[in-house]
């Protein structure tokens, strides 16, 4: 008797003619995760099996598959000979201890002498005889005992379902540019887009020497955690120091963040074009801070002309964002207390209802604005490929 891991996929079912494309990507992403284990992946219709792995690695394999978008759920199944007596013995040991259940038989081998309905009923009766704490509920059971009768004289039996991440396979929805700060929100924004199948590169703005090496390392750490979910990530950085000094010197204090964010968005668009990313992704959430009111977003969004800006957290509460950040494993790093460039020269009362006209008026006070923009872009640096 050996164990196998059954992998099921979710929303791909909905895909018509394109389904093969999504499946190929999902299989590729699963194989990539399984590379470090000694095991086999068997690809079947609508579900896959991980076989021939060392039992001590089972939990690690499940954890690795738990980072793959596109997997709906997994089960650990026992693989046994499919003669009736053996099946009976193993459904009894797999069944839950109490509550309602049903047996669901899938006969991959149609030559098997007992048909699915009869086999389900017989196995169900056997389970009931062995455990009087159980009762059958065919329509809404708390547990299902699955029996998958295979062609090669074996069967898989399982009961527990382990949730996968759901979503779509990464790589199926194009590539974006994620603006990654050291905060809680932007890693979650990347994760949410990856969940819909998007891969991305990362751009970080630093204000060295006002921001430290530790602040940069923190962002690198966040990118390396994101990589577990999103595949290859190229991390770039740009210095925002000179523009911040210029804004501080020339512009009204309350417009500091608004003007800085417009500068960042212009650079993000140029960088995305250069890297052939089709959109910008950021971690803004409506009303969370002064720079994320409708008016502020209107003013910063105004600078981006050639691509959409995706804000997957726009309608989420902070606590919801924190919950995801804890689940994905970035929270502990995000709360380390290193400064971000947006916190350098922080104004006492940032404007919450800026207008485009007034912002442009302030921006125009920086006479060498375009030079600063070109210079910053010229210094775009590839930090690391994760
Ligand atoms: P976060 O927790 O992601 O830092 P926040 O709530 O602190 O977000 P802001 O500082 O206003 O909000 O930033 C909003 C978004 O702008 C961030 O989610 C991120 O996408 C982007 N951003 C902010 N600072 C930087 C930075 N230094 N480098 C790259 N992107 C940034
Ligand atoms: Mg921030």
């Amino acid at each position: 008797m050996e164990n196998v891991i059954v992998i099921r996929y979710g929303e791909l079912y909905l895909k018509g003619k394109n389904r093969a494309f999504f499946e190929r990507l999902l299989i590729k992403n699963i194989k990539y995760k399984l590379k470090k284990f000694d095991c086999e992946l068997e690809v079947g219709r609508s579900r896959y099996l991980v076989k021939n792995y060392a039992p001590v690695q089972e939990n690690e394999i499940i954890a690795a598959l738990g980072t793959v978008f596109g997997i709906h759920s997994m089960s650990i199944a026992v693989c046994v000979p499919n003669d009736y007596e053996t099946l009976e013995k193993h459904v009894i040991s797999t069944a839950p201890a109490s509550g309602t259940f049903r047996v669901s038989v899938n006969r991959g081998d149609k030559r098997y002498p007992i048909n699915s309905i009869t086999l389900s009923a017989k196995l169900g009766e056997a389970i009931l005889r062995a455990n009087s704490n159980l009762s059958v509920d065919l329509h809404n059971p708390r547990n299902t005992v699955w029996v998958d009768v295979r062609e090669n004289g074996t069967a898989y039996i399982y009961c527990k379902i382990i949730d996968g991440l759901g979503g779509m396979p990464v790589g199926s929805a194009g590539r974006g540019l994620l603006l990654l700060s050291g905060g809680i929100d932007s890693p979650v924004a990347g994760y949410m887009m990856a969940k819909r199948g998007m891969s991305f590169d990362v751009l970080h703005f630093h204000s060295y020497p006002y921001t430290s090496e530790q602040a940069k390392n923190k962002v690198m750490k966040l990118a390396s955690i994101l990589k577990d979910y999103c595949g290859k990530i190229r991390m770039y950085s740009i210095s925002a120091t000179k523009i911040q000094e210029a804004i501080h010197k020339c512009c009204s204090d309350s417009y500091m963040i608004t003007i800085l964010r417009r500068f960042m968005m212009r650079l993000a668009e140029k960088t995305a074009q250069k890297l052939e990313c089709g959109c910008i992704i950021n971690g803004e959430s409506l009303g969370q801070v002064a720079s994320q009111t409708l008016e502020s977003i209107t003013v910063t969004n105004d600078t981006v002309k050639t691509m959409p800006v995706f804000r997957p957290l726009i309608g989420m509460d902070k606590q919801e964002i924190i919950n995801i950040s804890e689940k994905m494993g970035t929270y502990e790093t995000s709360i380390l207390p290193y400064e971000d460039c947006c916190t350098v020269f922080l104004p006492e009362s940032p404007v919450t209802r800026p207008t485009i006209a007034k912002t442009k008026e302030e921006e125009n006070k920086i006479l060498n604005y375009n030079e600063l923009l070109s210079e910053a872009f010229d210094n775009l640096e590839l930090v690391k490929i994760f």
Side-chain angles (χ1 to χ4, degrees), residues 179-181 183-186 203-205 261 264 282-284 288-289 291-292 340-342:
L179 299 187
L180 187 63
S181 67
I184 295 169
D185 304 332
S186 45
L203 176 60
H204 174 66
F205 294 94
R261 296 199 58 77
M264 285 175 160
N282 73 26
E284 288 172 331
Q288 194 189 81
V289 287
S291 60
Q292 296 174 26
D340 178 44
C341 78
C342 286

Side-chain angles (χ1 to χ4, degrees), residues 362-381:
E362 287 296 323
E363 212 168 57
N364 288 339
K365 292 181 184 169
I366 305 170
L367 299 178
N368 60 343
Y369 186 93
N370 285 333
E371 269 166 51
L372 290 174
L373 194 70
S374 310
E375 195 188 319
F377 187 60
D378 287 345
N379 290 316
L380 173 72
E381 183 195 348

Side-chain angles (χ1 to χ4, degrees), residues 7-12 26 29 65-74 162-170 172 191-197 229 327:
I7 301 173
R8 295 172 213 86
Y9 55 70
E11 203 177 312
L12 302 194
L26 178 58
N29 295 349
L65 294 173
T67 62
V68 178
F69 287 114
I71 293 181
H72 176 69
S73 66
M74 295 164 277
I162 303 160
D163 285 338
L165 287 180
M168 304 296 283
V170 170
S172 64
Y191 176 92
M192 296 305 289
M193 294 314 296
K195 182 168 185 183
R196 296 310 300 161
Y229 301 94
K327 180 175 140 194

Side-chain angles (χ1 to χ4, degrees), residues 30-282:
I30 290 173
K31 282 188 173 160
Y32 180 76
K33 286 287 170 180
L34 294 178
K35 232 167 50 184
K36 65 174 173 171
F37 303 103
D38 195 12
C39 64
E40 269 169 49
L41 183 72
E42 183 187 303
V43 173
R45 264 179 65 84
S46 78
R47 57 156 178 55
Y48 316 132
L49 296 171
V50 184
K51 298 163 70 172
N52 296 326
Y53 56 84
V56 290
Q57 293 194 319
E58 192 166 79
N59 289 341
E60 245 187 285
I61 295 175
I62 293 280
L65 294 173
T67 62
V68 178
F69 287 114
I71 293 181
H72 176 69
S73 66
M74 295 164 277
S75 294
I76 296 169
V78 287
C79 176
V80 296
N82 69 18
D83 60 279
Y84 180 78
E85 284 68 33
T86 310
L87 291 184
E88 189 176 297
K89 185 172 134 211
H90 284 281
V91 289
I92 289 171
S93 58
T94 306
S98 61
T100 58
F101 80 100
R102 73 169 171 193
V103 176
S104 175
V105 170
N106 171 38
R107 236 174 10 140
D109 182 359
K110 298 295 178 211
R111 294 163 310 177
Y112 193 77
I114 314 173
N115 73 33
S116 305
I117 296 174
T118 313
L119 187 56
S120 302
K122 275 178 73 123
L123 292 172
E125 280 164 23
I127 292 172
L128 278 178
R129 274 198 305 275
N131 182 350
S132 56
N133 290 330
L134 285 166
S135 58
V136 171
D137 183 342
L138 294 181
H139 302 292
N140 193 20
R142 245 182 71 198
N143 293 286
T144 299
V145 180
W146 275 277
V147 180
D148 198 353
V149 180
R150 312 272 297 177
E151 270 117 2
N152 56 2
T154 61
Y156 300 126
I157 301 173
Y158 53 91
C159 185
K160 285 209 180 70
I161 303 282
I162 303 160
D163 285 338
L165 287 180
M168 304 296 283
V170 170
S172 64
R175 196 163 189 87
L177 180 68
L178 172 67
L179 299 187
L180 187 63
S181 67
I184 295 169
D185 304 332
S186 45
V188 176
Y191 176 92
M192 296 305 289
M193 294 314 296
K195 182 168 185 183
R196 296 310 300 161
M198 183 166 273
S199 54
F200 50 80
D201 292 317
V202 152
L203 176 60
H204 174 66
F205 294 94
H206 64 84
S207 309
Y208 190 76
Y210 301 106
T211 57
S212 64
E213 194 63 24
Q214 287 154 310
K216 181 175 151 192
N217 289 341
K218 172 181 170 181
V219 180
M220 287 174 71
K221 171 77 181 157
L222 292 173
S224 81
I225 298 172
L226 274 171
K227 186 215 174 257
D228 282 344
Y229 301 94
C230 314
K232 186 171 119 179
I233 295 177
R234 293 175 292 182
M235 176 177 162
Y236 289 83
S237 75
I238 288 181
S239 168
T241 308
K242 284 195 176 167
I243 186 72
Q244 285 186 285
E245 287 169 344
I247 304 170
H248 188 57
K249 200 168 114 204
C250 309
C251 311
S252 156
D253 231 20
S254 61
Y255 272 77
M256 175 90 210
I257 299 278
T258 315
I259 296 173
L260 174 62
R261 296 199 58 77
R262 280 165 65 89
F263 191 81
M264 285 175 160
M265 290 305 259
R266 288 192 165 105
L267 287 166
E269 186 179 27
K270 281 158 86 72
T271 306
Q273 283 167 345
K274 179 172 168 154
L275 302 179
E276 297 187 342
C277 294
C279 67
I280 297 167
I281 305 160
N282 73 26

